[in-house]
Amino acid sequence: MCLYGYAIDVTSTSFLPLFEAALYFGVERLLSICKSWISVLVSSNDPASPKLDLSDLIQMWSFGLEHAGDFLPDLCTAYLAKNFMLVKSDEYFGSVPYELLISCIKHPHLTVHSEMHLADALLFWLDAERRMSGFSESRQDNTINLMEQVRFSLLPLWFIAERSKSHGFSKFADQSMELVIKLIKIPSTYLVDSLTDGPPADLRLRLTKYTEILDLSGCRQLNEACVLLAVLPNSYFSSLRWRKSLKSFLKNPEDDERNREHLSYGTLPILSFESLKEIDMSKCQRLNYKFVIKCFSKSFPSLRKLRAAYLLNIKVFTVLELLQNFRQLTEVDLTVDIAPIIPVQASLFYSGRGHCSLSNITRLTLEGRSDICDMGLQSISRLCDSLCYLNIKGCALLSDACIAYVIQRCKYLCSLIVCYTSFSENSILALCASISMTNEHMDSNSLAPKLQMLHMSKCEGISETSLFNLISQTQKMKSLCLRDTKVSDSVLCEFPGSSLEALDISNTTISRMALVRVISRNPNLKSLKARGCKNLLQLQGDGRTDYSSPLFSAHEVFKSLSKGSGLEELEIGWGFSYFSLESLRPAVSFLRAISVGLGASLGEDALKLLSSACPLLESIVLYFQEISDSALASIPTSLKHLQELALSYCFGDISIQSFKFSMPSLRKLRLERVTRWMTSDDLFVLTQSCPNVTELSLVGCLHLNSDCQPIISGGWPGMIYLHLEECGSITDNGVTSLYGCIALEDLLLRHNGSGIQKSFLLDATLKFPMLRLVSLDMCDAKEGGFDAPEWQEEEGSHFLSIVKISRCKSERCALGRVLAPVHRETLVMLWNGENYTKTLIKQRL
């Protein structure tokens, strides 16, 4: 066909047969077509361009080595390097020849989202090779050669700790940990001083002209020097004065703007990466964000998405600078931990400039930002006329009037998350176009009919009439959360939509009649959360219970659900039973998460049915349910994708036998008031059965002692969340052995033994560099109290933001015996990145 001028369609599958035939018969035109096709494919940056199957690529590379010189192997290597993130999850990745893989890793166009993704892929490949080839000296050399290509100083701390026992990484773990800890403590200028001549490869983030996503999350060791080293060309480091030039820029962070701009744009030849569209720098606390914005705005002009979660040093003025400097930015996520109490006063005010051009932001997440007040959010909203999605969950300082103002300014708003805020009457009136808060002409078009997402959990002070007016207009709603509100049957029954995919009515008075009505109109419902809804046992919300057939009273709900397209998430309680699950079988084959709470009665048969009926389950949470060894044994044997298992306040006869089955995918494990019998040996069994747990909560394990600390830190070194309460005498001798869990972010220790040192909070900020949340109890203080940590805004300062210390009082019964301690009060210490507050409240948090 080629000889007679026909068009030839070259594909991933046809390339090698065509190329081999053209080479054999000497058809130069076909050879040229094949070479041109693969050359264009390798160099193309178009996401719509054809993709090579990895199995075909491996065959091309092997053929090229034998018959085609360097041309074909080089192109195969370049393609693999450029598309590494795509092929690393391919089923054939473990079959990539070592020579091809090592060439790819060393290729200048190797493109990965982060160093962690590269290390993870190499460990997967090494594991696959070990299974296929067994142990050999050459394989050991391959392991060392591959892992030496990883830039260990750029790995997140939790990844190093978690993989410290992995084959192929264990011998590098200590070195990696030492490098990261050292970097956390070194200021930017000292880091530059410590560098040797030549490009500092080990500290440079991998950026190529093909990079679209840069993931720096969890890398607290990164500072301005690390960022600058990544965006400077190799030629810059050929100068003998490069260190002096770099230091002159870094040593005076408070230089005036014009001087810094002159240095950055005049002295430093910063590269531009046009393809990069998304950055995640969450938990990178040491970065100076005034500098980062200036640097990123030149290096990444096409940036669309920015995630910078859990960073208290980002303020409202930083957000405004972001909007001004990144003209193409559409999504920003600045989530922080939600404060357990409302701060006394605003800690930040902002006066806007006389004129600011509008941004293209469509999605803005400010969850937990207790430092943002009315003036700050109003200033942001003035720049965000295109805003479609707004998350201000937990922004406790914002008033209802401010939220209403923002709603009216943002005409395209269709997704609104306002849980735990003052969202109330004014905001609802603004959504329904019944009030003007902006002193502008009021648009007669209501936003309510355009809403696709509304989450308003725990929003109080809303009248039934206002809620009725709002819900009755939301015909396009896809995700509705009314958890912990005073929504009634009469309100929910007026919901006009038929596109609902997620509904949360937990802890409300909604009855089964109203719920069935909504479910029957919304066949695409994927997520239903209705835990704590006692009225699901009732015909109506007026308190009249249908005692004649309690199973049937809830059966209609689940019968309606079974007619839909299939649930993926279910949280349920009152009225749920084995019969309910049986009736749901057609709808739960794709279920990924289930939470069953008080008022439900699953029983052993239902748990066994759950394992067979829902093979894709990733999360199981059970409260107040009857469990047994035989029922729990069906979970690990049937549910291979399970990542979360929580058993809280359950009853029944279970033993360590329930946890002797391997669950390598499990990441979250909560055993609360269900394993009173657990000993140190039992805990060790857990570490072997569930080796990859990163979140652990144990409550009421009365036989545990201080020997358990090294078991936890040795068995789960990558732990990021650890809650231990009323667990025997674990902390009788202090907490020194827990310091092995170096990546901890959330730690709760209460009623585990009075051996915790007074200086624990100060020590913890040094031993746990990523620690953000700590909860303690005075009962466990060895010296009667704890020294408060010092908070200050400076490079290298600790990450801790919320500390809760509870105090108990002992009570005696009529016979004079001492009863269990009663919680009396909680001291809450908050740091929002600028101000420190201390509050004593008369309840336990």
Side-chain angles (χ1 to χ4, degrees), residues 239-386:
S239 168
L240 297 177
R241 298 174 59 84
W242 72 264
R243 272 192 297 274
K244 184 177 180 180
S245 169
L246 202 58
K247 280 182 65 179
S248 67
F249 177 72
L250 294 169
K251 68 181 178 180
N252 295 315
E254 301 304 324
D255 281 352
D256 66 87
E257 284 301 308
R258 282 183 301 178
N259 187 36
R260 287 180 63 80
E261 190 166 332
H262 169 73
L263 283 168
S264 61
Y265 298 148
T267 309
L268 300 180
I270 293 177
L271 296 172
S272 179
F273 299 88
E274 301 283 345
S275 296
L276 197 137
K277 295 177 175 61
E278 184 175 341
I279 296 179
D280 187 346
M281 53 184 186
S282 301
K283 303 174 188 175
C284 296
Q285 186 201 13
R286 301 187 65 217
L287 291 176
N288 179 311
Y289 291 97
K290 209 172 185 63
F291 156 78
V292 166
I293 290 172
K294 288 292 184 186
C295 182
F296 281 9
S297 63
K298 181 173 184 183
S299 291
F300 314 128
S302 304
L303 190 66
R304 302 280 200 283
K305 300 179 182 179
L306 175 65
R307 187 166 192 266
Y310 306 108
L311 297 172
L312 298 175
N313 46 356
I314 290 186
K315 306 299 178 186
V316 173
F317 65 81
T318 317
V319 180
L320 294 167
E321 282 196 65
L322 276 172
L323 304 184
Q324 287 295 298
N325 282 273
F326 295 94
R327 306 308 309 162
Q328 298 190 51
L329 198 62
T330 60
E331 297 184 23
V332 177
D333 184 352
L334 303 176
T335 299
V336 297
D337 295 301
I338 296 177
I341 58 172
I342 299 175
V344 177
Q345 59 182 11
S347 59
L348 180 76
F349 294 91
Y350 175 82
S351 297
R353 305 174 198 171
H355 173 74
C356 293
S357 56
L358 296 177
S359 75
N360 292 314
I361 292 289
T362 58
R363 293 176 63 92
L364 179 61
T365 300
L366 301 171
E367 183 172 319
R369 304 294 312 200
S370 60
D371 58 327
I372 292 187
C373 59
D374 287 1
M375 189 181 297
L377 186 62
Q378 288 169 356
S379 299
I380 293 172
S381 69
R382 292 188 192 105
L383 297 178
C384 300
D385 276 12
S386 302

Side-chain angles (χ1 to χ4, degrees), residues 498-551:
S498 59
S499 307
L500 203 61
E501 296 176 2
L503 175 64
D504 187 348
I505 54 167
S506 302
N507 303 323
T508 65
T509 59
I510 296 300
S511 73
R512 68 164 174 102
M513 179 196 70
L515 184 56
V516 168
R517 185 181 179 94
V518 172
I519 292 173
S520 61
R521 292 177 175 178
N522 293 271
N524 294 320
L525 195 67
K526 302 292 185 186
S527 173
L528 174 63
K529 298 180 181 181
R531 258 184 52 209
C533 295
K534 294 183 179 181
N535 287 351
L536 289 183
L537 281 175
Q538 297 171 350
L539 185 63
Q540 295 180 358
D542 58 6
R544 292 181 294 171
T545 306
D546 180 9
Y547 288 109
S548 60
S549 180
L551 291 177

Side-chain angles (χ1 to χ4, degrees), residues 93-164:
F93 183 71
S95 302
V96 174
Y98 165 76
E99 292 78 8
L100 173 57
L101 183 60
I102 192 70
S103 299
C104 163
I105 303 305
K106 292 181 177 181
H107 197 279
H109 288 164
L110 175 65
T111 304
V112 290
H113 295 171
S114 71
E115 205 66 21
M116 178 189 70
H117 287 93
L118 173 61
D120 194 46
L122 295 183
L123 291 174
F124 174 85
W125 185 90
L126 289 169
D127 191 52
E129 189 204 26
R130 181 167 58 93
R131 289 196 302 269
M132 290 188 295
S133 308
F135 179 82
S136 67
E137 189 172 334
S138 62
R139 191 179 63 77
Q140 191 174 14
D141 292 340
N142 291 350
T143 300
I144 295 173
N145 291 339
L146 281 174
M147 295 310 297
E148 283 181 343
Q149 307 308 312
V150 176
R151 299 171 184 179
F152 298 111
S153 56
L154 301 179
L155 293 173
L157 204 54
W158 69 266
F159 179 84
I160 299 171
E162 182 181 294
R163 294 307 186 96
S164 60

Side-chain angles (χ1 to χ4, degrees), residues 14-50:
S14 68
F15 172 85
L16 190 54
L18 288 172
F19 186 78
E20 185 177 3
L23 199 63
Y24 182 80
F25 289 107
V27 184
E28 292 296 332
R29 184 166 180 267
L30 183 54
L31 280 174
S32 177
I33 290 173
C34 289
K35 288 181 179 181
S36 175
W37 179 83
I38 194 169
S39 298
V40 170
L41 192 65
V42 169
S43 60
S44 173
N45 207 16
D46 183 0
S49 63

Side-chain angles (χ1 to χ4, degrees), residues 83 261 425 470 491 543 547 587 629:
N83 295 281
E261 190 166 332
E425 298 287 324
L470 173 61
V491 170
Y547 288 109
D629 278 343

Side-chain angles (χ1 to χ4, degrees), residues 16 48 75 82 232 534 606 619 708 826:
L16 190 54
L75 285 178
K82 186 187 78 169
L232 291 171
K534 294 183 179 181
S619 172
C708 296
T826 304

